[in-house]
Amino acid sequence: MINVLFVCLGNICRSPMAEALFRDLVEKENLSGKITVDSAATSSWHIGSPPHKGTLAILKKYNISANGLVGRQLTKQDFEKFDYIIGMDDSNIRNIFEITGKPKHPKILRLLDLTEHQKDVPDPYYTGDFEETYQLVSEGCKSLLEKIHNEHYLK
Ligand code: 4NP
């Protein structure tokens, strides 16, 4: 099993969007039996909460299921469980290093570093632009699945 975890600050906007989008890609490629997908926050602010209404609306617009998205906080144990730990921005990456105690481990990556953008995913909690974030997260998720294909024999 290949275990993928998306991480952001609150686990209500960007990382649940990535979880839903990536799970959709995995299901469309019939890889659900080989890849698991989850998301978590670096903060404790929204433990047990559903995604932000803006994230739910954009997922609905693109016909992506939001089933099972519930806020939780990243733990030190997640470092052992997951093979890819994907932060949305530089601040997430620093916080992941702090929580896991594993600075600069190759399994910890910033999502858009897998694309030509090489930048932070803008946080729609502050920008209000869920469409912009959706398009970037979608691109990042496609690149991540390609990377996983390149690193594992999946079919
Ligand atoms: P996220 O966005 O990290 O993409 O889930 C945020 C969600 C909540 C807060 C900040 C950012 N907050 O301050 O509660």
Side-chain angles (χ1 to χ4, degrees), residues 5-39:
L5 181 66
F6 295 99
V7 177
C8 65
L9 176 59
N11 194 211
I12 56 169
C13 294
R14 294 165 295 173
S15 62
M17 192 188 292
E19 177 185 345
L21 260 165
F22 194 73
R23 182 173 292 120
D24 186 70
L25 292 177
V26 164
E27 284 172 3
K28 284 181 174 141
E29 290 199 18
N30 288 318
L31 292 171
S32 300
K34 297 188 174 167
I35 302 178
T36 76
V37 194
D38 194 3
S39 66

Coordinates of all heavy atoms in Angstrom, one line a residue, residues 5-39:
L5 N -0.5 11.6 2.4 CA -1.1 12.5 3.3 C -0.9 13.9 2.8 O 0.2 14.3 2.6 CB -0.5 12.3 4.7 CG -1.1 13.2 5.8 CD1 -2.5 12.8 6.1 CD2 -0.2 13.1 7.1
F6 N -2.0 14.7 2.7 CA -1.9 16.1 2.4 C -2.1 16.9 3.7 O -2.9 16.6 4.6 CB -3.0 16.5 1.4 CG -2.9 15.9 0.1 CD1 -3.7 14.7 -0.2 CD2 -2.0 16.4 -0.8 CE1 -3.5 14.1 -1.5 CE2 -1.9 15.7 -2.1 CZ -2.6 14.6 -2.4
V7 N -1.3 18.0 3.8 CA -1.2 18.7 5.1 C -1.3 20.2 4.8 O -0.7 20.8 3.9 CB 0.1 18.5 5.8 CG1 0.2 19.3 7.1 CG2 0.2 17.0 6.2
C8 N -2.2 20.9 5.6 CA -2.2 22.4 5.5 C -2.4 22.9 7.0 O -2.3 22.1 7.9 CB -3.3 22.9 4.6 SG -5.0 22.5 5.1
L9 N -2.6 24.2 7.1 CA -2.7 24.8 8.4 C -4.0 24.4 9.2 O -3.9 24.0 10.3 CB -2.7 26.3 8.3 CG -2.8 27.2 9.5 CD1 -1.8 26.9 10.6 CD2 -2.8 28.7 9.2
G10 N -5.2 24.4 8.5 CA -6.4 24.2 9.2 C -7.1 22.9 8.9 O -8.0 22.5 9.7
N11 N -6.7 22.2 7.8 CA -7.4 21.0 7.3 C -8.9 21.2 7.1 O -9.7 20.3 7.2 CB -7.1 19.8 8.3 CG -7.5 18.5 7.7 OD1 -7.9 17.6 8.5 ND2 -7.3 18.3 6.5
I12 N -9.2 22.5 6.7 CA -10.6 22.7 6.2 C -10.7 23.3 4.8 O -11.7 23.2 4.2 CB -11.4 23.6 7.2 CG1 -10.7 24.9 7.4 CG2 -11.7 22.8 8.5 CD1 -11.6 25.9 8.2
C13 N -9.6 23.8 4.3 CA -9.6 24.4 2.9 C -8.8 23.6 1.9 O -9.3 22.9 1.1 CB -9.2 25.9 3.0 SG -10.3 27.0 3.9
R14 N -7.5 23.8 2.0 CA -6.6 23.2 0.9 C -6.4 21.7 1.0 O -6.5 21.0 0.0 CB -5.3 23.9 0.9 CG -5.4 25.4 0.5 CD -4.1 26.2 0.9 NE -3.9 26.2 2.3 CZ -2.8 26.6 2.9 NH1 -1.8 27.1 2.2 NH2 -2.7 26.6 4.3
S15 N -6.0 21.2 2.2 CA -5.7 19.8 2.2 C -6.9 18.9 2.1 O -6.7 17.8 1.4 CB -4.8 19.4 3.5 OG -5.5 19.7 4.7
P16 N -8.1 19.2 2.6 CA -9.2 18.3 2.2 C -9.6 18.4 0.8 O -10.0 17.4 0.2 CB -10.3 18.8 3.1 CG -9.9 20.1 3.7 CD -8.4 20.2 3.6
M17 N -9.3 19.6 0.1 CA -9.6 19.7 -1.3 C -8.6 18.8 -2.1 O -9.0 18.0 -3.0 CB -9.3 21.2 -1.7 CG -9.8 21.5 -3.1 SD -9.3 23.2 -3.6 CE -10.2 24.3 -2.6
A18 N -7.4 18.8 -1.6 CA -6.4 17.9 -2.3 C -6.7 16.4 -2.0 O -6.6 15.6 -2.9 CB -5.0 18.2 -1.7
E19 N -7.1 16.1 -0.8 CA -7.5 14.7 -0.5 C -8.6 14.2 -1.4 O -8.5 13.2 -2.0 CB -8.0 14.6 1.0 CG -8.4 13.2 1.4 CD -9.0 13.1 2.8 OE1 -8.8 14.0 3.6 OE2 -9.7 12.1 3.0
A20 N -9.7 15.1 -1.6 CA -10.8 14.7 -2.4 C -10.4 14.6 -3.9 O -10.8 13.6 -4.6 CB -11.9 15.7 -2.2
L21 N -9.6 15.6 -4.3 CA -9.2 15.6 -5.7 C -8.3 14.4 -6.0 O -8.4 13.7 -7.1 CB -8.4 16.8 -6.0 CG -9.2 18.0 -6.7 CD1 -8.4 19.3 -6.6 CD2 -9.3 17.6 -8.2
F22 N -7.3 14.1 -5.1 CA -6.4 13.0 -5.4 C -7.1 11.7 -5.3 O -6.9 10.8 -6.1 CB -5.3 13.1 -4.4 CG -4.1 12.2 -4.8 CD1 -3.3 12.6 -5.8 CD2 -3.8 11.0 -4.1 CE1 -2.2 11.8 -6.2 CE2 -2.7 10.2 -4.5 CZ -1.9 10.6 -5.5
R23 N -8.1 11.5 -4.4 CA -8.8 10.3 -4.3 C -9.6 10.0 -5.5 O -9.7 8.9 -6.0 CB -9.7 10.3 -3.0 CG -10.5 9.0 -2.9 CD -11.3 9.0 -1.6 NE -10.5 8.9 -0.4 CZ -10.4 9.8 0.6 NH1 -11.3 10.8 0.5 NH2 -9.6 9.7 1.6
D24 N -10.2 11.1 -6.1 CA -10.9 11.0 -7.3 C -10.0 10.5 -8.5 O -10.4 9.6 -9.3 CB -11.5 12.4 -7.7 CG -12.4 12.3 -8.9 OD1 -13.5 11.8 -8.8 OD2 -12.0 12.8 -10.0
L25 N -8.8 11.0 -8.6 CA -7.8 10.6 -9.6 C -7.5 9.1 -9.4 O -7.4 8.3 -10.3 CB -6.5 11.4 -9.5 CG -6.6 12.9 -9.9 CD1 -5.2 13.5 -9.7 CD2 -7.0 13.0 -11.4
V26 N -7.2 8.7 -8.1 CA -6.9 7.3 -7.8 C -8.0 6.4 -8.2 O -7.8 5.3 -8.8 CB -6.5 7.3 -6.3 CG1 -6.5 5.8 -5.8 CG2 -5.2 7.9 -6.0
E27 N -9.2 6.8 -7.9 CA -10.4 6.0 -8.2 C -10.6 5.8 -9.7 O -10.8 4.7 -10.2 CB -11.7 6.5 -7.6 CG -11.7 6.2 -6.1 CD -12.9 6.9 -5.3 OE1 -13.7 7.6 -6.0 OE2 -12.9 6.8 -4.1
K28 N -10.3 6.9 -10.4 CA -10.5 6.9 -11.9 C -9.5 6.0 -12.6 O -9.7 5.5 -13.6 CB -10.5 8.3 -12.5 CG -11.8 9.0 -12.2 CD -11.8 10.4 -12.8 CE -13.2 11.0 -12.6 NZ -13.3 12.4 -12.2
E29 N -8.3 5.8 -11.9 CA -7.3 5.0 -12.4 C -7.3 3.5 -11.8 O -6.4 2.8 -12.0 CB -5.9 5.6 -12.2 CG -5.6 6.8 -13.0 CD -4.1 7.1 -13.2 OE1 -3.3 6.3 -12.9 OE2 -3.9 8.3 -13.6
N30 N -8.4 3.3 -11.1 CA -8.6 2.0 -10.5 C -7.4 1.6 -9.5 O -7.0 0.4 -9.5 CB -8.8 0.9 -11.5 CG -10.2 1.0 -12.2 OD1 -11.2 1.2 -11.5 ND2 -10.2 0.9 -13.5
L31 N -6.9 2.6 -8.8 CA -5.8 2.3 -7.9 C -6.2 2.4 -6.4 O -5.3 2.4 -5.6 CB -4.7 3.4 -8.2 CG -4.0 3.2 -9.6 CD1 -3.1 4.4 -9.8 CD2 -3.2 1.9 -9.7
S32 N -7.5 2.4 -6.1 CA -7.9 2.5 -4.7 C -7.4 1.3 -3.9 O -7.2 1.5 -2.7 CB -9.4 2.5 -4.6 OG -9.9 3.5 -5.4
G33 N -7.1 0.2 -4.4 CA -6.6 -0.9 -3.7 C -5.1 -0.8 -3.4 O -4.5 -1.6 -2.7
K34 N -4.5 0.2 -4.0 CA -3.0 0.4 -3.9 C -2.6 1.7 -3.2 O -1.5 1.8 -2.7 CB -2.4 0.3 -5.3 CG -2.6 -1.1 -5.9 CD -1.8 -1.3 -7.2 CE -2.0 -2.7 -7.7 NZ -1.5 -2.9 -9.1
I35 N -3.5 2.7 -3.3 CA -3.1 4.0 -2.8 C -4.2 4.4 -1.8 O -5.3 4.5 -2.1 CB -3.0 5.0 -3.9 CG1 -1.9 4.6 -4.9 CG2 -2.6 6.4 -3.3 CD1 -1.7 5.6 -6.1
T36 N -3.8 4.8 -0.5 CA -4.7 5.4 0.4 C -4.4 6.9 0.5 O -3.3 7.4 0.2 CB -4.6 4.9 1.8 OG1 -3.4 5.4 2.5 CG2 -4.5 3.3 1.9
V37 N -5.5 7.7 0.8 CA -5.4 9.2 0.8 C -6.0 9.7 2.1 O -7.1 9.3 2.5 CB -6.1 9.8 -0.4 CG1 -5.7 11.2 -0.6 CG2 -5.9 9.0 -1.7
D38 N -5.3 10.7 2.7 CA -5.8 11.3 3.9 C -5.3 12.7 3.9 O -4.5 13.1 3.1 CB -5.2 10.5 5.1 CG -5.9 10.8 6.5 OD1 -6.9 11.6 6.5 OD2 -5.5 10.2 7.5
S39 N -5.8 13.5 4.9 CA -5.3 14.9 5.1 C -5.3 15.2 6.6 O -6.0 14.6 7.4 CB -6.1 15.9 4.3 OG -7.4 16.0 4.8

